[in-house]
Amino acid sequence: MSPRAPHTCLSPAHQQPEEQPDRRLAVEQWGVERRKTHVVPFGISRRRSPTEEERAEAANRIRARYGIPSDCRILYFCGTLDYEPNARALEWMVREMLPELRRQGHDGFRLIVTGRVRKPAYAWLASLRDADYHYAGETDEVSDLMEGCNLFVNPVDTGGGIKVKNMEALSFGTTVVTTGHSATGIDREFTGDKLVVVERDDVSSFARAVAGNWDRRDPTPASFFEHAHWEGIVAEASGRIGNC
């Protein structure tokens, strides 16, 4: 997520558009000179997409762990589920997206969801049921799921901040189908076709995007890693601060 501290300088390489919310907040509400602002993009720690062999191995581990047949595509979503935007996104997937996929004639898929549900107000999530949905609870094995799934699905369309899970999925070479809201803050110039943006108010289009991308195995572009790796981001930010 983008830091809101106003003490860094504008970086040409990561120059943000005029309407960038964090910069606008600093300039308009805090009175910071725009030339003294620089929005640091969220970074990743991986330097490359996994190989096909690595992804296949991760997929096999997932299938063994959750009893998923080899011909069944794996859709994945994760997050803090006792947070309203994530809870409503999950409800929408189970009650609308999965049935729509079947209405469009698709089968052989399973939605795996992991994440925290601790707040009593969200106990209702346990009532969500669908033959193609499996809630796997809290887990330390998110990396396997990110790497081995066929598609990361993120229909969150409210709430703040960059959606870190989209960046993580892309760093594992996984295609992401998401909303415009959840794509905010991700520079699509570097994601290529790996970030597919569809609004969830049109469930038919969203489901078509899911089915149309779940068999893709192309890696995330190398430019994404060059642009988004923390090492380069930190080096650039340090240089700009030093030149203030």
Side-chain angles (χ1 to χ4, degrees):
M1 33 209 105
S2 302
R4 288 184 165 84
H7 304 299
T8 54
C9 295
L10 179 63
S11 162
H14 288 296
Q15 189 163 359
Q16 303 294 325
E18 210 46 63
E19 64 275 11
Q20 213 288 334
D22 289 347
R23 174 171 288 135
R24 187 172 64 243
L25 178 69
V27 172
E28 296 180 359
Q29 296 192 25
W30 297 348
V32 180
E33 293 182 55
R34 191 178 189 281
R35 67 181 181 84
K36 294 184 178 180
T37 66
H38 168 56
V39 178
V40 178
F42 182 82
I44 57 172
S45 57
R46 294 181 59 87
R47 295 182 179 274
R48 63 168 179 83
S49 285
T51 64
E52 269 300 300
E53 292 74 18
E54 289 169 334
R55 295 203 67 194
E57 290 170 3
N60 288 337
R61 290 192 292 270
I62 295 170
R63 295 181 190 283
R65 189 175 304 133
Y66 300 115
I68 301 174
S70 60
D71 60 349
C72 185
R73 299 172 183 90
I74 303 168
L75 311 179
Y76 182 47
F77 175 74
C78 63
T80 301
L81 300 176
D82 50 9
Y83 169 61
E84 188 70 9
N86 289 339
R88 293 304 173 187
L90 173 55
E91 179 185 31
W92 180 86
M93 285 189 287
V94 174
R95 294 184 174 169
E96 297 191 43
M97 185 192 78
L98 297 182
E100 179 63 23
L101 282 167
R102 292 189 291 268
R103 277 193 292 271
Q104 292 182 9
H106 303 293
D107 56 15
F109 59 85
R110 185 77 51 81
L111 172 64
I112 303 293
V113 175
T114 63
R116 186 189 79 186
V117 184
R118 300 179 190 173
K119 298 177 183 177
Y122 291 90
W124 61 270
L125 289 172
S127 67
L128 294 176
R129 293 285 188 276
D130 188 280
D132 295 313
Y133 161 63
H134 176 70
Y135 172 58
E138 297 182 57
T139 180
D140 295 326
E141 297 163 334
V142 169
S143 293
D144 261 3
L145 286 156
M146 287 283 195
E147 186 173 6
C149 68
N150 290 82
L151 193 72
F152 189 79
V153 184
N154 181 8
V156 173
D157 63 358
T158 58
I162 186 173
K163 299 302 176 283
V164 174
K165 44 184 164 276
N166 285 352
M167 292 289 287
E168 289 296 318
L170 289 166
S171 78
F172 278 101
T174 299
T175 303
V176 176
V177 174
T178 192
T179 63
H181 176 85
S182 285
T184 301
I186 300 176
D187 195 333
R188 286 185 243 176
E189 176 185 351
F190 301 99
T191 61
D193 295 333
K194 295 294 284 184
L195 185 70
V196 181
V197 177
V198 188
E199 299 312 324
R200 86 178 199 200
D201 56 359
D202 184 349
V203 66
S204 295
S205 294
F206 200 98
R208 282 195 295 272
V210 168
N213 286 278
W214 61 20
D215 285 331
R216 290 180 50 189
R217 305 300 291 178
D218 50 314
T220 300
S223 59
F224 172 80
F225 297 91
E226 295 166 3
H227 170 75
H229 192 273
W230 275 119
E231 184 177 282
I233 291 172
V234 171
E236 182 185 353
S238 298
R240 299 304 301 173
I241 292 170
N243 290 330
C244 284

